[in-house]
Amino acid sequence: MSHQGRCFCGTVQIEVTGSPEAMGYCHCSSCRSWSGGPVNAFSLWKPDAVKVTAGAEHVGTFNKTKMSFRKFCTKCGGHLMTDHPTLGLTDVFAATIPTLDFAPAVHVNYSETVLRMRDGQPKLKDFPAEMGGSGEAVPE
């Protein structure tokens, strides 16, 4: 199965194929600042499952840390995805791929939250242990 997505103006188009490795919400201050919202809905994919199918020459990159290379459209500024080379994954913002059946299963960096979400999903202080985090759960 594949899903099509695009930036805000439609110049940059992407395709994701298969199923995401994980879906959830990130509450870290970097994601909040970048997304302009109190929480970021993510879908994590293996990099080879994500392709820019149009407008590649208009994809800009900004990285504040070696953990996250944030991709955006240089024409409209629309956010597309974030490469996480240290994790070997690419976060395609859930809103960018509207046909994806978004099924969040975890909250990461919940210790930094500004929006409490009582949805029964696990809330992790930082990241899962298998991704280099503590794996420590925190209360809703």
Side-chain angles (χ1 to χ4, degrees), residues 33-97:
S33 181
W34 182 254
S35 72
V39 65
N40 180 56
F42 66 80
S43 65
L44 295 174
W45 304 79
K46 294 285 187 190
D48 62 355
V50 180
K51 291 185 176 67
V52 174
T53 57
E57 68 276 15
H58 296 288
V59 175
T61 301
F62 176 79
N63 70 299
K64 186 175 169 181
T65 69
K66 63 182 176 183
M67 172 104 175
S68 301
F69 290 75
R70 299 174 191 277
K71 309 285 184 169
F72 60 94
C73 173
T74 59
K75 287 185 79 172
C76 69
H79 299 177
L80 297 162
M81 64 190 106
T82 300
D83 289 334
H84 296 294
T86 57
L87 301 176
L89 295 168
T90 297
D91 169 11
V92 179
F93 302 119
T96 303
I97 40 178

